[in-house]
Amino acid sequence: MMFAEHSLDFAEGIYLAHRVRCGKQTFKKGTVLTNEDISVMREDGMSTVLGARLETDEIPEDRAAVLIAEMVAGKGVEMHTAKTGRCNLYSTHRGIAVIDTAMIDKINLASEAIAVATVRPWTVVQAGDSVASIKIIPFSISARLITDLAADLAAGVRPAVPLSVAPFVHHRVALLMTDSELVQDNVIDRTVDATRQRLAAVGSTLDSVLVCHHETAQIKSALLQAVSTGCDLLLVSGASVTKDRCDVIPKAMSEIGGVIHHFGMPVEPGNMLLMGELNRIPVLCIPGCARSARENGLDWILRRMAAKLPVTPKDIMLMGVGGLIDRKRREDHDEPSSHA
């Protein structure tokens, strides 16, 4: 690309670098100059114009933006018409943004001429929400750059999908709460209300609520009763927060054939979450902070589960960067362990 001050004698086909006003007529940045445009400029007293002439092996900015957008967009994502080197991507439905950060980084690192900006990974989006913007910085880029980048993204065991939106799938959820003399009278009602709100946000419903005493035998019976309801997910809120894999609730699960997959998460609030499985039903022993509707680590797990996305122990342990949700707390005013 030849970016320079061009004589109007040789300006046909030039991409205008900046907006130019000639009398009552305005030429926008990026306008490809025609002989008629040049005549208007001459009449206004101009002799040169600042702009860019594309080489034969270069792709204009709008077309290049579309080609990059096609590489980025996966399921649940649609692109709009490119203008001034920018092509925006939008969600086609409500769900969660699934982003391959390494692939987006690879595109951006390919050249300073390419800029791909996305929402943060795992952001909840609505239909029509903007999820990414692709901008070509100059007026054109090399066709070879586009070809090599496409081949690079397609290489590997499976084709890369840098950005998609996984739709929420309705889940029937059961909530089991344990009670004791230490639990305040309104805690159970508050927990139910917060859970309904939390599930509604990811397109699911609280279909059954069970309460039992915080004692191993009763918990075992209640767990089996809960999974027998036909729920897709079981949430367990303890009268006291689980502090160990051998604590009352996980112990009860294990004694009736349940499996503990992971305990703890680097998200605050939400550290004390436990993830397991009973009779092939996912079980989340929720932290005390989940008694409130305020965002916490449980929400991060539910969003993925509600979109039918796998959640592994490694996934949880990699949530630490950005995992400090509540930054206002002070150590000397830390909340009780029941809220952890």
Side-chain angles (χ1 to χ4, degrees), residues 9-89:
D9 293 336
F10 307 99
E12 184 181 4
I14 292 293
Y15 283 73
L16 194 61
H18 305 288
R19 186 175 62 174
V20 173
R21 187 173 183 84
C22 297
K24 295 183 178 180
Q25 188 167 351
T26 299
F27 297 96
K28 295 181 179 180
K29 178 182 70 174
T31 298
V32 181
L33 296 181
T34 64
N35 282 326
E36 290 76 11
D37 298 332
I38 294 169
S39 295
V40 173
M41 291 179 177
R42 287 188 194 280
E43 292 174 4
D44 199 55
M46 295 177 60
S47 60
T48 63
V49 66
L50 184 63
R53 186 181 298 281
L54 274 56
E55 305 291 345
T56 56
D57 64 340
E58 292 179 323
I59 300 175
E61 57 179 350
D62 286 352
R63 177 58 182 159
V66 169
L67 292 173
I68 298 296
E70 289 174 344
M71 296 180 201
V72 172
K75 291 183 178 180
V77 178
E78 64 180 5
M79 63 181 180
H80 286 199
T81 303
K83 296 180 180 178
T84 63
R86 184 182 303 280
C87 186
N88 292 326
L89 301 179

Side-chain angles (χ1 to χ4, degrees), residues 87-137:
C87 186
N88 292 326
L89 301 179
Y90 298 87
S91 173
T92 62
H93 51 242
R94 175 172 168 74
I96 187 171
V98 183
I99 300 172
D100 189 322
T101 304
M103 291 295 98
I104 298 297
D105 289 344
K106 181 174 289 189
I107 295 171
N108 282 323
L109 288 169
S111 170
E112 66 177 17
I114 302 171
V116 179
T118 74
V119 296
R120 293 181 179 180
W122 317 116
T123 296
V124 174
V125 296
Q126 310 293 334
D129 281 357
S130 176
V131 292
S133 178
I134 292 86
K135 173 65 176 175
I136 304 302
I137 304 301

